[in-house]
Amino acid sequence: MNDISDLRTQVLAQVAAADDPDALETVRLTALGKKGAISLRLRELGRMSPEERQTVGPALNALKSEIDAALRARREALEDAALEARLQGEWLDVTLPPRPRPRGTIHPVSQVMDELTAIFADIGFSVAEGPQIESDWHNFDALNIAPEHPARQEHDTFFMHRAPGDNRPPHVLRTHTSPVQIRAMQAQGAPLRVIAPGRVYRMDMDQTHAPMFHQVEGLAIDRDITMAQLKWTLEEFCRAFFEVDAVELRFRASHFPFTEPSAEVDIRCSWQDGQLKIGEGDDWMEILGSGMVHPHVLRAGGIDPERWQGFAFGMGIDRIAMLKYGIPDLRAFFESDLRWLRHYGFAALDLPDLPAGLSR
Ligand code: PHE
């Protein structure tokens, strides 16, 4: 009987010490399994005297029930503890404010493209597109820039590769958005009113020049287009874009092979303590090139210059973005510095529209 009470102490201690379901199962097998301590002793009952059997039998059966109950209680306790631990881990305070996430912003160049698209849409211009890898013909010849014309050199062109032995002129990274004039004329014919914002490339790099930058081209073709309409369109654009009541533009006679006559356009401005003010002051800032579309260019676009005429302009988007938003260094535009983007960027869901205000 001492033996049974030792066994009881030992097994109950093992049950209490088991701290996961696997350990508990091992305890169960060593006590109650087929070859377990209790089972072996129950089997020995047969070899005992009837008197012995009378006391040992009930004692073993009682111990078996007790161990059984202890195992069940321990299993439940372990399951409760596991559930408790899980609930602790999955606890969520729904009243906490959400964790701040890194927020994306709209790049000033994209913002300005959206703004000028909205302004020109309002006066009847749609958006046209062309490839950034452009044929030599679209980028130069069709725009009245002959192969020996000095303007080809001035454009600091990036040329694409041709296979050795292929003597056709190489494609180029477009040096301006003007080839989209040709593509739009060919695709839509006259009359025509389009703008073409996009990337352009020139081999140039300093504080005010990047090898990739952005322009917007404008083209209007109709029966009786005049330089006065060009002037009105540009003034209307600048007033809306810079969000001022009045702007003053200065047209300076200039030369582009694809326009005749040609004019470069400056906007009146002032610098005070490093702050630029548009619309007043004694300074002028050049913002674009423009003119009346050259007859050769109309013809290259498949439009009869005897019946149609038009104006065109090309404006640097990065430049007007810097002017409007007071951004001092062009190179920062293309560095993808998140701190810069957070400072100069725009909220993603505030699309510019004229009635609500362009830049909120
Ligand atoms: N393509 C010219 C440039 O890149 C700008 C321009 C466009 C001038 C259209 C006149 C007319 O400098």
Side-chain angles (χ1 to χ4, degrees), residues 167-186:
N167 293 321
R168 290 173 299 167
H171 277 65
V172 300
L173 291 180
R174 66 179 182 194
T175 57
H176 49 178
T177 43
S178 299
V180 187
Q181 287 188 33
I182 304 297
R183 292 186 176 273
M185 286 188 251
Q186 289 178 328

Side-chain angles (χ1 to χ4, degrees), residues 143 155 175-179 181 200 202 213 215-218 255-259 262-264 286 288-293 311-315:
L143 291 163
H155 275 212
T175 57
H176 49 178
T177 43
S178 299
Q181 287 188 33
V200 301
R202 288 184 203 175
F213 57 104
Q215 285 188 336
V216 58
E217 195 79 7
H255 175 264
F256 300 102
F258 31 93
T259 46
S262 303
E264 281 177 306
E286 183 196 322
L288 61 94
S290 65
M292 300 305 291
V293 182
F311 68 69
F313 60 85
M315 186 161 43

Side-chain angles (χ1 to χ4, degrees), residues 6 43 97 102 133 146 157 173 207 239 260 263 278 307 326:
D6 286 352
R43 234 172 282 155
I133 297 174
T157 313
L173 291 180
Q207 184 166 351
R239 205 185 44 69
E260 182 59 38
I278 297 287
R307 299 173 59 213

Side-chain angles (χ1 to χ4, degrees), residues 89-106:
E90 291 177 1
W91 179 83
L92 178 72
D93 182 352
V94 292
T95 66
L96 277 179
R99 219 171 282 163
R101 288 164 186 271
R103 284 188 304 124
T105 59
I106 300 294

Side-chain angles (χ1 to χ4, degrees), residues 111 114-116 118-119 122 239-244 324-325 346-347 349-360:
Q111 167 77 16
D114 289 344
E115 291 181 16
L116 55 87
I119 297 169
D122 192 53
R239 205 185 44 69
F241 177 75
F242 289 107
E243 300 178 70
V244 291
K324 179 167 180 179
Y325 293 112
F346 294 82
L349 296 177
D350 285 347
L351 283 183
D353 79 283
L354 286 176
L358 285 180
S359 56
R360 277 160 290 161

